[in-house]
Structure formats: structure tokens, C-alpha cells
Amino acid sequence: MHKLNFFNEMFPNKKHLKDIKIGEILIDSRKVKKNDIFIGIRSGNEYIKDVLEKGACLVFYDDINIKIEDERAIYVEDSILFLQELAKNYRESLDVTVIGITGSEGKTSTKDILYSILSAKYKGKKTQGNYNNHIGLPLTLLQLEEDDKFIALEMGMSNLGEIRRLGEIASPDYAIVTNIGDSHLEFLENRDNVFKAKTEIFEFVKPEFRVVYGDDPYFKDAETVRVGKNEDNDYIIKDFYQDKRGGEFKLFFSGQEMDVKTNLYGEYNSINIALAMTVALNVGVSKEEILDACKDLKLTGMRFERVEKGGKVFINDAYNASPVAMKVSLETFNEIFKDDYKVAVLGDMLELGKESIKLHEGLSETIEKLNLDEIYLVGKEMKSLYIKLDHKKCFYFETVEEIRDRIKLVKDGAAVFLKASNGICLNKILD
């Protein structure tokens, strides 16, 4: 009912809105159903008549050349700005806790973990897929319902000013910054600029509600709540252990201790979990509820996802990649499957700018320390890594399809690790 009241207040002259149940707010004309709201962005303006015929209750467009005589169709000067302001006003009309999550690595996993934990007590929403930019975030906010108590918003960016704009729209109550890494160097050039860009979210959040990975040197002097392994953090992670069942660790804070057991692999996920736990404790989720939720956390696909296929175990971590994420996930894979035959399939890490070749070559130091049986590389940037490695067990391929054919020959029972930026499409190997 709240959404209907909201739009009736915004458009009091639209009498046809009085007694309907407003559906979704969409920018994809193909998905529009009766009583949905459609916002025509860019080429979406071409489908205004189509969505009206489908029964949309309100349609917004910014092409001044469109001539439509229908009370449901409303012209706006800029559809994207209209969407953003609409979402901002809608968020402000609701009693909901908004958590903004950003960082160079781990923000999607942390968002999923936080959603899993908070859902143990409250009804809420989270960012779906890659809806984490200046268009996706407003659409996510507009999915909120009156009885939702929280929303976990992933905030992505590629340049300065973008996180600030997302903060203006979302007005977050809490902020989580997972780390400052080498992602986005194509546009930001160095980590100092990455730090400036990511911490734009702090402009909207009180210091006591800014939760960060405290072991990252960039947060040494920041006014934040610090979470990490170092003893000077506010929340301290200790005694991490993992096997094929998952991981466990202890979290110490304010004289208290929590013994956490989780289905997720990787010491890096213990950090993501601890960041999420810190917010959950602050918004009233009990320790018992948190610990129970941690036993069965649900992540978005292709994040260290276990898939058994063709007599082999695949660890599909091929949604995204950066130098830090590549290193820690390879180490995790090597540790979990230490007694198995191991094949690592690695593709290019994208958007690393002028440092790309150096950062790809730098992976050789990590790989040489691991007990991998075979390494398959694909992508023009990975060719530089191939040159540095032992060619007795390292192989370079021109296409993902060639790797897929080669993996069929790997013996049954082997563990196969997939890691690359999403644009490399390593996921095709599992098709």
C-alpha cells in the first residue's frame, strides 16, 4: 500500500492510480506487465507505446519528439536523473536501515553474507546481480516494500564521484568498505585514488557506523570501526581453520568472544563474515541468530562455488578477478584440496590499466609456492604470466573452448579452479 500512497502523493492528478496495486518499476520494456511503472532510458524511449499497450500504469520518457496522448505517459527532462530522484524520495519515505557496501574485492560476497545474517531476524532486500551503479542502485531501492526493515546495497564504481552520487541517492545508515586494492586502476591510476573514491561513502555515515577491514593500511588513521586480524582492531579475528566442509574462526570484541562456524571457504571470507557480523550486532541481531545463520550462508553464483561435473570438482570463482583476489583464492584452493590432483584455470584480470602486465606477471610468485599439478592460462594479459612459469605444467590457450576440451582429459577426482574477470567467460567451461 505504501508504494501506491507514495505515487498518489507525487502525482495527485492521476486519478487512475487510486484503486490499483502498483507492480514493479522497470527499465526493460520486455518485462513490463499490467500496472507496472516503466522509465524509458536511452533506447527505452522507443518502446513507450508498447508498454502502454501492455497496461503499464505510469510511463516516463525523456525524448521530446515523442507525441503521446495518454494520461499515463509523462515527459521528464532526463530519465536517469528522474529515476535517481524518485528512488531517493522513496527511500526517505520508508523506515528502513540502509547499508552501503563497497571495496575493491569482496563487496558482493559481503553483501550476500550480510543479507543472509540479517534475514535471520528481519525482512529485507539486497542488490541483485550487477545492479550496483547509478541506474541499478535506484532500481534496487525502488523494490523496497513497506514491511522491509533493511536493504544491503552493493556500491560499484570506476571513477571518482560515483560512490558520492550513490550515497546521495541511498542515504546509507551504515557503510562497509572491504578493502582498498588494485581494481579500477585503468581509470583511477593508483590506490590513493581508489581510497578517495571508495571512502566517499563516509560523507553520509557517522564514524561509529563505518565498518572497514582494519588491517588495510589505508584505514590506519580513519575514523571507523575496524575489523581484522591485528590486535589493535575493534573486532579481532583469530584461529581461522578450514577443511572441505567449510571454515571456522573466533571473533573477539568488547570483552566478548564468538565461535563462528561457516559453510564458506577461505580466510578472506572470515573477514567478509566478520564485517557483516559487526553491522548485524549493531542492528539488533542476537549472537545466537548470527551464529546459526553463518552455518548456511548463500552467495551469488561464481563466488568460490563448488560444482561437481564430469567426475571432477570445479571451484567456480570466475565472476571477477583482481591481483589480491586471485592470490588469496588460489591459496585457499590449494589448501582445501591439498591431497587432490589440482588444476588451476586462470584468465585475464581486466581494468588494471598501465600496470596490467606487471600485475599479471606478479602472480608467478604466488603460483610457484603452491602445489598445483597443472595451470591453464587464457587471455592476452595472461601470456605475460605464461612466459614466467614452468612450461612442464603450465599451458597457454587461445580460447576458453580449447581449455574446455583439454579439461575433459583430466583424470576423474581432480579439483579444477576457475578464476578470471567475468568478461573472459570462463564459466563456458561448465556449459
Side-chain angles (χ1 to χ4, degrees), residues 119-357:
S119 295
K121 184 166 186 175
Y122 305 115
K123 180 176 179 291
K125 298 284 191 299
K126 67 173 180 175
T127 300
Q128 299 290 337
N130 60 352
Y131 270 40
N132 64 3
N133 65 3
H134 66 296
I135 294 174
L137 181 139
L139 286 169
T140 302
L141 282 168
L142 289 166
Q143 293 176 4
L144 282 165
E145 299 168 278
E146 188 174 12
D147 56 347
D148 283 323
K149 299 302 180 186
F150 76 91
I151 185 165
L153 289 175
E154 182 178 331
M155 294 183 171
M157 60 103 224
S158 57
N159 220 325
L160 290 164
E162 295 178 6
I163 294 292
R164 180 178 293 111
R165 182 57 184 147
L166 299 183
E168 290 170 349
I169 297 166
S171 297
D173 301 290
Y174 291 83
I176 296 176
V177 184
T178 57
N179 73 328
I180 304 299
D182 294 318
S183 303
H184 320 300
L185 292 186
E186 181 179 356
F187 307 102
L188 291 171
E189 297 186 350
N190 56 60
R191 283 195 182 189
D192 288 347
N193 284 333
V194 174
F195 174 74
K196 290 175 185 176
K198 295 295 185 183
T199 54
E200 288 171 355
I201 194 173
F202 289 170
E203 298 173 23
F204 308 92
V205 180
K206 296 176 182 178
E208 61 267 31
F209 299 141
R210 303 169 184 169
V211 180
V212 304
Y213 175 44
D215 297 352
D216 192 314
Y218 273 95
F219 294 116
K220 181 180 179 182
D221 300 317
E223 289 187 274
T224 59
V225 177
R226 298 168 65 231
V227 180
K229 293 175 284 185
N230 295 340
E231 291 291 335
D232 59 348
N233 285 307
D234 302 291
Y235 291 74
I236 303 168
I237 301 164
K238 289 186 178 182
D239 301 335
F240 175 78
Y241 168 81
Q242 68 180 350
D243 56 25
K244 290 185 180 180
R245 296 170 297 178
E248 56 185 76
F249 62 94
K250 298 182 188 300
L251 186 66
F252 295 87
F253 58 96
S254 303
Q256 301 182 62
E257 175 185 338
M258 292 178 70
D259 294 311
V260 185
K261 290 182 171 60
T262 177
N263 59 311
L264 301 186
Y265 300 118
E267 190 167 11
Y268 58 92
N269 266 326
S270 72
I271 297 164
N272 297 336
I273 292 168
L275 290 167
M277 288 173 64
T278 302
V279 173
L281 287 164
N282 275 275
V283 298
V285 185
S286 71
K287 290 194 287 187
E288 292 74 18
E289 289 167 326
I290 290 171
L291 292 174
D292 191 52
C294 286
K295 294 175 184 176
D296 187 25
L297 296 168
K298 303 289 192 300
L299 298 187
T300 302
M302 296 167 62
R303 268 82 172 183
F304 222 87
E305 179 182 19
R306 182 185 176 113
V307 179
E308 296 189 22
K309 196 167 188 178
K312 303 168 186 65
V313 175
F314 290 86
I315 298 297
N316 185 4
D317 200 27
Y319 184 80
N320 215 338
S322 68
V324 172
M326 187 76 81
K327 177 180 182 295
V328 298
S329 55
L330 273 168
E331 291 170 343
T332 299
F333 171 72
N334 185 69
E335 181 181 345
I336 294 170
F337 296 95
K338 57 190 174 201
D339 298 325
D340 299 279
Y341 192 87
K342 295 179 291 298
V343 180
V345 183
L346 311 178
D348 284 356
M349 302 176 289
L350 303 178
E351 296 185 5
L352 294 181
K354 61 186 179 183
E355 296 291 311
S356 184
I357 296 298

Side-chain angles (χ1 to χ4, degrees), residues 371-395:
N371 184 29
L372 300 171
D373 296 286
E374 296 183 60
I375 302 144
Y376 301 165
L377 304 177
V378 64
K380 65 178 184 178
E381 303 293 282
M382 277 295 173
K383 204 153 199 175
S384 61
L385 175 60
Y386 172 68
I387 292 169
K388 293 183 72 71
L389 293 176
D390 178 2
H391 293 174
K392 292 180 181 178
K393 64 176 183 178
C394 180
F395 307 90

